Amino acid sequence: MGGDGVRQALLVAPSYDHDAYLGAESLGIRSVAATLLGEGARVTVVDECPAEPSAEVLRAAGGSSLIGIGVLFTRQIPDALALARTFRSASPDAHITIGGQGAYSLWPRMLEECDALDSACLNEAEETVAELWRDVIVGKSPAGVPGMYLRLDDRILFTGPRAPTENLDALPLPFRGCREAVYADGHVTLCTSRGCAAHCSFCQSGNYANRHKGAPRWRYRSAEHVVGEIEQLQRVYGARMFSIVDDDFLGGDGRGIERAREFARLLRDRDLDIRFAIECRISELDSALLTTLREVGLRHVLIGIETANEADIRLYAKRTTPQQAAEAIAMLRKSDIEFSVGFIMFQPLSDLAGIRTNLDFLFANSVGSYRRVVNRLEVYPGAPLVGYFRRKQVCFREESYRMYYEFQDSRVAFLYEAFVKILKPFEELENLVARAVFRMRAEEGPAELHALRRLTETGQDVTRELLTTAYRCLEVAESGGVPVTDKRLVAYAAERVDELRNVLAPWR
């Protein structure tokens, strides 16, 4: 396309399964959008774009020189490729590229399978897309732009590696256009760092997708830069609740802890009244730091425990212990901070003894939930764990960029089926409690705090009954039975759910 062509870009994120993932805006493509705006482009961003896009999105595609598709989750790839084909029909001359964490290691394969794609951007894409844009709008081949796989005539060319951005403060703040309606409730997501210092074998970000040779494992924006964005979001959108979606807000070393303290100091000095949530590793938690962050608005922490049995701890390369996890949970409760726990109950080689150990930990620490109890390890195409499991004779079936497997122990398969079906009604109760707690936490008046204590106790009752039912399922499986066909067990679960639903009726 010549230099006098249309200078518009369309960036989309495919829709995804909300039963598997919580909703969030696409900060990755919005950061790329901000970079393109700095290049003088007119940019349209579409979050959760369905595989059959609206007429409005198709019109935007038809008027765009560059179309980018961001894939956060690997399971989005089939819809992403469908979108690429649709956009190619709408805009025959546009350059269509794809990228995102969920596409890691699959870049050339996507180009081979979808001839509508012109390129795939590796890893972080702000600088790559900016250079790509400059070439596209003047009709120049982007073969000299590093950080891509590029379709060139009848071959796919790797243009060479690109180092990740180390000074994240130098990047423009994410483009927030067309989010006014979403932000009306005062809740916004933030990303303040990239990467993770840990080596968890199952994780795309920390284990391989955000690990770059010669670059720090964890890169971060300065506290001053982050607080500046918070002030801007308050001023423009009235935001007061912030979900910080970093893989590890505290960074794994002294730099992260010091930044967190500086972040708290700036919030206090500027008298910013906010509530925020973070994610971090259990080994980084410190009671004094939690107290400091609680005083300036920290209300929720997501910690990844994943498992309590030794076999799975080694498999996942967690480098933490159940005792550390229990101490972290106690510390968060003592600090009066709500928390969520990442937990993987099942993996292809699970046995009933390991599952019982996991249930014992969840019960002892009162952190069970439907999703934690039924969660099974997701193995990604191209991930290191695929080779390990294949050596252990695990059979995989790949379909639409997803890896499916059967449990080697048939009793574990029966137990998993029972957990999914019999425990499912408890999830409705958990969601009801979570929504009510969130509302009360936002207000924190005397009446809300009194009601919050009562509701928290009822939430613990839900957890206890869920796990008690899970133990009953396990006992049936251990005896050689099929839990899902046990009528007494099914009736027991239904009775517990009905009783708890009645108790929770005032909070509906």
Side-chain angles (χ1 to χ4, degrees), residues 2 24-25 97 205 226 242 257 261 275 308 320 369 436 438 492 505:
E25 58 192 318
T97 190
S205 177
V226 174
F242 299 86
I257 301 300
R261 292 195 180 105
R275 302 290 180 267
T320 56
S369 73
F438 181 82
Y492 172 86

Side-chain angles (χ1 to χ4, degrees), residues 319-330:
R319 302 184 183 181
T320 56
T321 67
Q323 179 62 30
Q324 283 179 298
E327 290 171 357
I329 290 169

Side-chain angles (χ1 to χ4, degrees), residues 157-221:
L157 168 72
F158 175 49
T159 63
R162 178 188 292 276
T165 302
E166 291 197 33
N167 180 13
L168 299 183
D169 285 5
L171 295 174
L173 297 178
F175 170 63
R176 304 280 184 167
C178 304
R179 299 292 288 178
E180 291 80 4
V182 179
Y183 296 157
D185 65 355
H187 180 233
V188 179
T189 56
L190 288 179
C191 183
T192 78
S193 68
R194 296 180 180 181
C196 179
H199 297 264
C200 302
S201 62
F202 59 87
C203 177
Q204 283 181 307
S205 177
N207 185 48
Y208 54 99
N210 216 334
R211 189 65 53 86
H212 309 284
K213 185 177 181 180
R217 294 173 180 171
W218 182 74
R219 290 162 289 127
Y220 60 97
R221 296 165 56 196

